[in-house]
């Protein structure tokens, strides 16, 4: 028994180690195929990056938000590393049944630690297995976050961990029985029942059982190594190593997730100069090797857990986009194409092969066939990613927020969109109208520039309040805030109500503010997220120049915006263009004014209200509290959260330039969101974004016409609610005294 155990264990170990090491080297070589990134972009502030890795691993910061699943995974993840010495012990036990680690092997604190971690690792993996079995796609369909995951790989990994955990506990019981342990003690606090079970066996039987279970533990461990060595694209296994690197090299050196701004377009590891681009500049991504090396690392690290998929508004409404499946498809394509790329294969801008026949002579036919597949294309074209997948994304950020290994889905989607828009001119036709309007009129509706001041005239007529235009009616030095109205706020009728309410509130609070008027132009948010980086750069440069000029003499370049998309672009993306401003959202300013007593909500607004988090205010910029505090300050309102809110809030469907595209597949996202709101039977649905206001209003009006929502239901911005409460209620007409009775 002992000899067989030694031979089987050592052979399995040698083969497993060799194959796993070869695969690790292959993954490293494969990742290096990716495009360069700007110098220092992924390596700045190494101390903070190490701290982030430690925090995310030890704290499981993303996973623990999933309750019991996160806790179970924490024990499994930490147990993998904490219990590595049990493998060393198993090797020793092959040669001497009662062998233990030098120094600490018989030290009861270590033995207790080993037992407790072994127990909770085993219980943790059992929990995860049960969760997976209860959520099998065959039962839950698209509702299962495991739909599309490679099931055999996941179950293989889980049962390997379960097997190792059982071996650890059994070996502890056998060790105790062989050592003659007679009662509970700290060193055998967990395994003592097993010690009792084995107590009556002879010493030789116990030794043979130790040889067997030590061999079993080693064999299971290195069978796993053999399997992942043969399958370098097996993300569900390799993520336990690659995740550390993927988190370390994440986009934001501060440790924040890759939300907020988009990265500038780069080629050859440097930002593209759109005024004079290089002749060989690569615009966007049309081949998998054009993704950055961090992109290829992202694809390799995906563990197929499906958290992104479960939160994706597109997937939840029947669209073909699943962030998980997108990453998995890119990974499988990349690894299938890798032998061709590693041999020197590639195509130039015209699609001609750059490698010689000699270089490609040894490349497998399957890899050569994979190299011919278009990255974006329909099933008939044998494309890797279907166009409907690419254009379904709302860039809401739910996938990036939830991913426990920091995959940057939105950056990769936008990179593919950039090539489609800027090189192929291939995008939904309705979006073309929006782009033309932005180019010609500076707003997506194509309205005349002078129309940006219509709301100012309306406000003066309705309230007598005059809103000054900076540089014309007021000096920049006299202005506390430059109010960036935005295209929707100035031109869309429903959003104009928010604009006028906010301006009236600022006037009431005595805040000195002004607008740009006709000098304001679209920030370029929709153009950039659609993929037209050139148009964004043009609009952005124009706006930055305007803002820098008008705010040159202002003590503080302070801007307030009612549109989260404008807020995000000016605050987070204009610094890329030389525009550095202090930008806040209108809900932040209003809450500040309430706290200072400059705005006092006194008039009750009766009813049940539910608040919808705009993605670009909430997830992208972490502004969750101010809108809720404003609502809480209004007397009469009773607030109730929708099931999906804050970090797990559900998109309205307008982001990622989807505002300008028809929704032809599945259920409309705004309808899904309004249905969720209506489940609470609210009187008011509130938000803090003009895009959300339009989308939710459209769906709510549709529900009213169907009789599925009460006619009194209102969809309003929080600024409108606050104004209703701050404004003095109209005085009740005085009752005429009754005439005195005659006589």
């Amino acid at each position: 028994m002992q000899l067989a155990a030694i031979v089987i264990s050592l052979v399995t170990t040698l083969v497993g180690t060799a194959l796993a090491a070869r695969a690790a080297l292959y993954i490293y070589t494969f990742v290096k195929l990716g495009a360069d990134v700007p110098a220092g972009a992924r390596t700045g502030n190494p101390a903070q990056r190490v701290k982030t890795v430690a925090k995310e691993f030890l704290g499981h910061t993303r996973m623990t938000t999933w309750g019991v699943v996160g806790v179970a995974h924490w024990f499994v993840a930490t147990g993998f590393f904490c219990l590595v010495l049990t493998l060393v012990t198993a090797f020793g036990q092959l040669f001497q049944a009662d062998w233990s680690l030098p120094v600490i092997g018989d030290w009861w604190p270590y033995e207790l630690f080993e037992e407790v971690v072994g127990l909770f690792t085993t219980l943790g993996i059992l929990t995860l297995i049960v969760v997976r079995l209860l959520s099998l796609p065959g039962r839950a369909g698209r509702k299962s976050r495991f739909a599309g995951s490679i099931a055999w790989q996941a179950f293989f990994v889980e049962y390997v961990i379960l097997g190792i955990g059982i071996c650890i506990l059994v070996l502890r019981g056998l060790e105790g029985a062989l050592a003659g342990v007679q009662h509970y003690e700290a060193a055998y606090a967990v395994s003592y029942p097993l010690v009792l079970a084995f107590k009556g066996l002879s010493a030789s039987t116990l030794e043979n059982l130790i040889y067997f279970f030590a061999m079993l533990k080693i064999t299971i461990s290195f069978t796993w190594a053999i399997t992942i060595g043969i399958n370098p694209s097996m993300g569900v296994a390799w993520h336990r190593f690659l995740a550390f690197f993927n988190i370390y090299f994440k986009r934001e050196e501060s440790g924040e997730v890759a939300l907020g701004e988009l990265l500038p377009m780069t080629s050859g590891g440097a930002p593209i100069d759109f005024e004079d681009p290089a002749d060989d500049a690569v615009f966007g991504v049309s081949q998998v090797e054009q993704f950055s090396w961090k992109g290829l690392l992202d694809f390799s690290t995906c563990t197929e857990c499906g958290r992104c998929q479960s939160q994706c508004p597109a997937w939840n409404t029947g669209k073909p986009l699943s962030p998980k499946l997108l990453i998995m498809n890119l990974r499988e394509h990349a690894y299938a194409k890798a032998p061709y790329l590693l041999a020197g294969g590639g195509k130039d801008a015209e699609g001609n092969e750059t490698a010689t026949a000699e270089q490609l002579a040894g490349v497998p036919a399957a890899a050569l066939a994979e190299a011919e597949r278009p990255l974006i294309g329909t099933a008939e074209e044998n494309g890797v990613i279907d166009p409907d997948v690419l254009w379904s994304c709302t860039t809401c950020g739910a996938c990036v927020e939830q991913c426990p290994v920091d995959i940057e889905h939105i950056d990769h989607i936008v990179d593919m969109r950039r090539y489609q828009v800027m090189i192929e001119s291939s995008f939904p036709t309705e979006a073309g109208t929006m782009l033309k309007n932005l180019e010609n009129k500076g707003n997506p509706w194509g309205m005349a520039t002078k129309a940006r001041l219509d709301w100012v005239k309306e406000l003066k007529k309705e309230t007598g309040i005059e809103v000054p235009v900076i540089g014309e009616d007021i000096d920049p030095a006299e202005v506390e805030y430059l109010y960036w109205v935005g295209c929707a706020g100035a031109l869309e009728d429903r959003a104009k109500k928010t604009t006028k309410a906010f301006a009236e509130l600022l006037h009431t609070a005595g805040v000195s503010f002004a607008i740009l008027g006709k000098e304001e132009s679209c920030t370029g948010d929709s153009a950039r997220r659609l993929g037209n980086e050139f148009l964004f750069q043009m609009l952005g440069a124009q706006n930055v120049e305007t803002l820098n000029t008008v705010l040159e003499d202002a003590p503080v370049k302070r801007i307030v915006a009612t549109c989260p998309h404008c807020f995000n672009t000016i605050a987070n993306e204009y610094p890329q263009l030389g525009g550095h401003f202090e930008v806040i959202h209108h809900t932040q300013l209003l809450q500040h004014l309430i706290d200072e007593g400059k705005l006092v909500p006194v008039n009750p607004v009766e009813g049940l209200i539910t608040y919808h988090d705009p993605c670009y205010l909430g997830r992208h910029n972490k502004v969750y509290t101010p809108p809720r505090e404003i609502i809480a300050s209004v007397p009469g309102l009773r607030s109730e959260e929708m099931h999906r809110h804050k970090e797990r809030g559900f998109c309205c469907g307008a982001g990622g330039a989807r505002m300008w595209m028809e929704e032809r597949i599945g259920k409309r996202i705004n309808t899904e969101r309004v249905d969720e709101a209506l489940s609470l039977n609210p009187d008011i649905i509130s938000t803090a974004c003009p895009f959300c206001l339009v989308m939710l209003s459209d769906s709510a009006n549709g529900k009213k016409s169907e009789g599925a929502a009460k006619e009194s239901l209102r969809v309003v911005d929080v600024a409108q609610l606050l104004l209703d409460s701050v404004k003095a209620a109209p005085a009740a007409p005085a009752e005429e005294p009754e005439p005195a009775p005659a006589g």
Side-chain angles (χ1 to χ4, degrees):
M1 181 66 222
Q2 184 180 20
L3 180 61
I6 291 171
V7 172
I8 293 171
S9 297
L10 293 182
V11 169
T12 309
T13 300
L14 289 172
V15 174
T17 302
L19 289 176
R22 186 188 69 167
L25 180 61
Y26 185 79
I27 292 171
Y28 173 75
T29 308
F30 163 76
V31 169
K32 284 182 67 180
L33 289 170
D36 292 334
V37 299
R42 298 285 177 173
T43 54
N45 199 348
Q48 178 60 45
R49 290 180 180 276
V50 170
K51 182 179 176 182
T52 298
V53 172
K55 176 185 174 184
E56 292 201 18
F57 174 65
L58 296 176
H60 259 47
T61 49
R62 228 73 59 79
M63 293 287 293
T64 48
T65 61
W66 287 69
V68 67
V69 172
V71 174
H73 189 275
W74 186 88
F75 281 107
V76 172
T78 54
F80 177 81
F81 296 100
C82 291
L83 297 174
V84 69
L85 289 180
T86 64
L87 190 60
V88 177
T89 302
F91 276 109
Q93 289 171 327
L94 291 174
F95 299 92
Q96 181 182 328
D98 61 353
W99 188 87
S100 61
L101 291 169
V103 183
I104 64 170
D106 296 318
W107 186 40
W108 75 261
Y110 169 73
E111 291 181 290
L112 177 61
F113 171 80
E114 181 183 292
E115 292 217 339
V116 170
V117 174
L119 173 66
F120 281 101
T121 298
T122 305
L123 293 176
I125 200 64
L126 278 170
T127 301
L128 297 182
I129 289 171
V130 170
V131 168
R132 188 176 294 273
L133 289 172
L134 291 175
S135 304
L136 287 175
R139 298 176 184 175
R142 287 175 70 100
K143 292 294 182 183
S144 169
R145 60 186 175 93
F146 302 116
S149 298
I150 304 173
W152 78 263
Q153 294 184 355
F155 280 118
F156 172 78
V157 169
E158 289 175 341
Y159 287 124
V160 159
I161 298 169
L162 178 61
I164 291 172
I166 291 172
C167 284
I168 289 171
L169 295 175
V170 170
L171 281 168
R172 287 294 297 155
L174 290 167
E175 291 165 17
L178 188 62
V181 173
Q182 298 297 323
H183 53 77
Y184 263 107
E185 56 184 78
Y188 294 93
V190 171
S191 62
Y192 186 67
L194 290 171
V195 173
L196 291 177
F198 297 131
K199 192 172 182 180
L201 300 178
S202 66
S204 61
T205 302
L206 289 172
E207 288 174 355
N208 281 326
L209 284 172
I210 288 175
Y211 299 146
F212 175 77
F213 278 98
M215 176 198 71
L216 188 60
K217 182 181 187 312
I218 293 167
T219 303
I220 291 174
S221 298
F222 285 95
T223 299
W224 175 80
I226 291 169
T227 305
I228 70 170
I230 296 171
N231 298 281
S233 64
M234 191 173 171
V236 70
W238 279 105
H239 85 276
R240 64 177 49 193
F241 305 114
L242 299 179
F244 296 105
F245 299 99
N246 212 49
I247 294 169
Y248 180 87
F249 292 119
K250 67 195 300 183
R251 189 223 285 180
E252 304 297 335
E253 63 182 39
S254 65
E256 295 297 321
V257 292
L259 294 174
E261 75 274 19
L262 288 175
L263 294 174
M265 278 181 66
T266 60
S267 180
I272 295 174
D273 180 359
F274 281 91
E275 293 185 3
D276 184 24
D279 293 337
D280 61 348
V282 177
F283 291 82
V285 169
S286 63
Q287 301 290 332
V288 73
E289 62 270 23
Q290 292 171 350
F291 284 107
S292 71
W293 59 260
K294 175 57 167 65
L296 298 186
L297 183 59
D298 271 358
F299 308 156
S300 304
T301 308
C302 178
T303 184
E304 303 174 27
C305 66
R307 283 168 178 76
C308 57
Q309 180 174 288
S310 70
Q311 302 298 302
C312 177
W315 182 259
N316 275 281
T317 53
K319 316 290 190 293
L321 168 64
S322 155
K324 178 187 73 178
L325 297 179
L326 173 85
I327 297 298
M328 286 175 61
N329 288 339
L330 290 171
R331 179 188 67 199
E332 299 306 315
H333 168 63
Y335 275 94
K337 188 177 179 180
Y340 162 81
L341 296 172
L342 291 169
K347 301 283 191 349
D348 60 21
E350 285 73 39
N352 301 312
E353 180 59 58
T354 58
T356 64
E358 290 77 15
Q359 285 177 290
L360 301 180
V363 177
L368 292 173
E370 196 71 27
E372 296 302 316
R373 295 181 67 191
L375 188 66
I376 307 298
T378 61
E380 292 75 18
E381 297 166 332
N382 197 27
V384 179
I385 304 298
D386 191 278
D388 285 335
V389 169
L390 191 66
W391 298 112
S392 293
C393 179
T394 67
T395 68
C396 70
C399 50
V400 179
E401 179 74 38
Q402 291 297 326
C403 182
V405 294
D406 280 298
I407 293 172
E408 298 163 3
H409 311 73
I410 293 177
D411 289 353
H412 305 321
I413 289 171
V414 171
D415 274 340
M416 290 186 283
R417 284 183 171 188
R418 284 166 168 170
Y419 180 84
Q420 293 299 302
V421 172
M422 300 181 68
I423 303 300
E424 295 291 331
S425 295
S426 176
F427 49 87
T429 53
E430 318 92 280
T433 303
M434 178 268 292
L435 292 176
K436 287 179 183 176
N437 288 336
L438 289 181
E439 285 186 53
N440 299 328
K441 297 292 186 179
N443 69 79
W445 286 279
M447 296 176 69
T449 303
K450 64 181 181 180
R452 285 186 178 273
L453 288 170
D454 286 353
W455 72 271
V456 176
K457 299 170 187 172
E458 294 169 12
L459 183 64
K460 183 178 180 181
K461 184 177 179 181
E462 294 165 7
T463 65
I465 297 171
E466 295 190 18
V467 177
V469 177
I470 199 166
E472 293 181 14
D473 307 317
I474 193 169
D475 189 86
E478 302 173 39
V479 175
E480 287 182 70
Y481 292 95
L482 170 62
Y483 175 22
W484 184 275
V485 181
C487 300
L491 303 171
E492 205 282 328
D493 287 340
R494 284 163 288 190
K496 282 161 69 173
K497 293 178 182 177
T498 303
T499 304
K500 289 186 281 188
F502 180 58
E504 190 171 347
L505 286 166
L506 292 182
H507 177 79
T508 301
V511 176
S512 174
F513 73 100
I515 61 172
L516 286 176
K518 292 184 287 187
E519 293 299 312
E520 190 178 291
S521 183
C522 181
T523 59
D525 163 82
S526 292
R528 190 173 218 196
R529 277 147 187 82
L530 183 74
N532 195 330
E533 182 71 9
F534 177 77
L535 181 54
F536 164 76
Q537 295 276 337
M538 183 181 76
L539 292 167
Q542 174 186 324
N543 283 327
V544 167
E545 183 180 0
T546 300
L547 288 169
N548 280 335
T549 300
V550 300
L551 295 176
E552 184 177 8
D553 297 326
V556 180
K557 296 182 178 182
R558 189 178 289 140
I559 298 171
V560 60
T562 41
C563 175
H565 296 264
C566 297
F567 165 59
N568 178 70
T569 303
I570 300 171
N572 299 324
E573 299 188 330
Y574 279 6
Q576 299 171 7
L577 306 175
H580 300 275
F581 312 103
E582 182 183 319
V583 190
I584 62 171
H585 189 251
H586 76 291
T587 56
Q588 294 173 302
L589 179 54
L590 291 177
Q591 179 55 36
H592 175 67
L593 295 173
I594 292 171
D595 290 343
E596 287 194 330
K598 294 182 179 179
L599 290 175
V600 183
V602 289
N603 299 313
V605 178
E606 300 293 340
L608 176 66
I609 185 171
T610 189
Y611 174 72
H612 163 81
D613 285 287
C615 298
Y616 273 80
L617 183 63
R619 252 191 308 270
H620 281 274
N621 285 283
K622 308 297 181 249
V623 178
Y624 296 112
T625 304
R628 289 174 168 81
E629 290 189 348
I630 293 170
I631 290 170
S633 71
V634 175
L637 285 177
R638 292 173 289 112
S639 181
E640 189 170 344
E641 295 280 11
M642 284 182 265
H643 174 65
R644 294 175 287 202
H645 63 279
K646 293 189 176 178
E647 289 84 356
R648 293 200 197 180
F650 197 77
C651 184
C652 75
R658 288 296 320 177
M659 178 82 171
W660 320 106
M661 294 181 255
E662 284 300 319
E663 218 173 315
R664 297 186 175 89
I665 304 172
K667 183 178 181 180
R668 293 182 65 89
I669 293 173
N670 59 336
T671 300
E672 171 76 7
R673 187 54 164 167
V674 167
D675 281 344
E676 185 175 359
L678 292 179
S679 69
L680 303 175
N681 193 28
D683 300 294
I684 303 168
I685 301 173
S686 183
T687 188
C689 169
F691 284 12
C692 296
L693 193 69
V694 169
M695 299 297 283
L696 299 177
S697 295
D698 284 348
S699 182
N701 290 337
K703 293 292 181 182
K704 288 179 184 179
S705 65
E706 296 168 6
K710 51 193 177 189
E711 284 297 323
S712 59
L713 176 68
R714 299 167 61 200
V715 180
V716 295
D717 188 277
V718 291
Q720 294 170 261
L721 283 174
L722 183 59
L723 181 63
D724 287 345
S725 185
V726 168
K727 287 177 76 170
E735 294 185 6
E736 294 185 10
E738 293 183 8

